[in-house]
Amino acid sequence: MRLDKFLTECGLGTRSEVKKLIDENAIRVNGTCKVSPKTSINEKEDIVLFEGEPISYKEFRYYVLNKKSGYVTAIEDYRDKTVMDLLPDWVVRKNLVPVGRLDKDTEGLLLFTNNGKLNHQLVSPKSHVDKTYYVETENIISQNDIKKLEEGIDIGGYVTLPGKVESLESKKILLTIREGKFHQVKKMLESVDNKVTYLRRISFGKLTLDDLELGEVKEVELEEII
Ligand code: URA
């Protein structure tokens, strides 16, 4: 692989930015900084240093975004801004796609990866990854509503799997579901004659938002996800 491609895929910047680093002698390959963007390297064997620190090549990458409202979960959209527009420059975008989807007006945790197999596993109807949503509603959520949401509810031809509800206030709950049907949380609340006024996903599998600010991204490792 060419050195400039390697450095770009390691997240050190765009092709022109990494070329600048090479020109500034900030990159060493096997002890020498006499390298060019075209230098061929073996990403598994060669030792590449940036300002003295080793750079490791990762085939698969995982990023968590705290999604803002107003962005559609898509790679491209002719009308709306997409979640890809929220990814900062340091993110390696090659083959990167979101895992599942959040609605345009939903905030919170959205995972991205270039690991197609894992992505498929995580969104497969059989996978049953726990997802917890912070939900605000228009009307009061009764104990009976909570019971229905927890037992499984008909959202229009489909009965949801049992979920878990933690009541926070009369119109605020944490709802944990193990599926990801289209508009599932909104439909579940509609089925108890209510309406979601605000929705934020706060966890996905083992991942949580923690102190990630709205619009911020962090890189995570596979072991942190499932
Ligand atoms: N359920 C919804 O209704 N919307 C989302 O964005 C996610 C889950």
Side-chain angles (χ1 to χ4, degrees), residues 9 11 15 33 37 45 48 55 63 67 78 81 98 115 122 148 161 171-172 197 220:
E9 292 196 2
R15 284 281 172 111
C33 53
E45 285 174 13
V48 183
I55 304 169
Y63 301 97
K67 180 188 173 294
Y78 68 95
K81 292 175 286 186
N115 182 341
L122 292 173
K148 287 185 192 163
L161 289 175
K171 297 181 185 177
K172 292 179 188 167
T197 54
V220 293

Side-chain angles (χ1 to χ4, degrees), residues 25 37 40 43 55 85 111 115 117 119 138 140 150 158 170 174-176 178 198 223:
N25 293 340
S40 171
E43 63 272 14
I55 304 169
D85 297 321
L111 175 67
N115 182 341
K117 197 168 163 214
N119 193 341
E138 200 164 83
I140 289 172
E150 287 198 322
Y158 177 79
S170 62
L174 293 182
L175 172 61
T176 303
R178 289 184 286 152
Y198 174 78
E223 303 73 53

Side-chain angles (χ1 to χ4, degrees), residues 67 73 101-107 131 133 175 177 179-188 196 199-201:
K67 180 188 173 294
T73 307
R101 68 183 295 282
L102 291 177
D103 295 338
K104 183 175 169 184
D105 59 353
T106 301
E107 292 183 350
K131 300 154 201 94
Y133 294 86
L175 172 61
I177 56 175
E179 311 148 278
K181 300 279 174 206
F182 192 56
H183 298 322
Q184 179 160 342
V185 175
K186 290 174 184 164
K187 285 182 183 164
M188 287 174 79
V196 171
L199 188 58
R200 179 169 75 235
R201 181 152 72 190

Side-chain angles (χ1 to χ4, degrees), residues 11-30:
L12 260 72
T14 59
R15 284 281 172 111
S16 58
E17 284 163 350
V18 302
K19 182 176 182 305
K20 198 158 166 273
L21 294 176
I22 295 168
D23 290 345
E24 288 165 354
N25 293 340
I27 306 293
R28 277 180 180 270
V29 179
N30 300 331

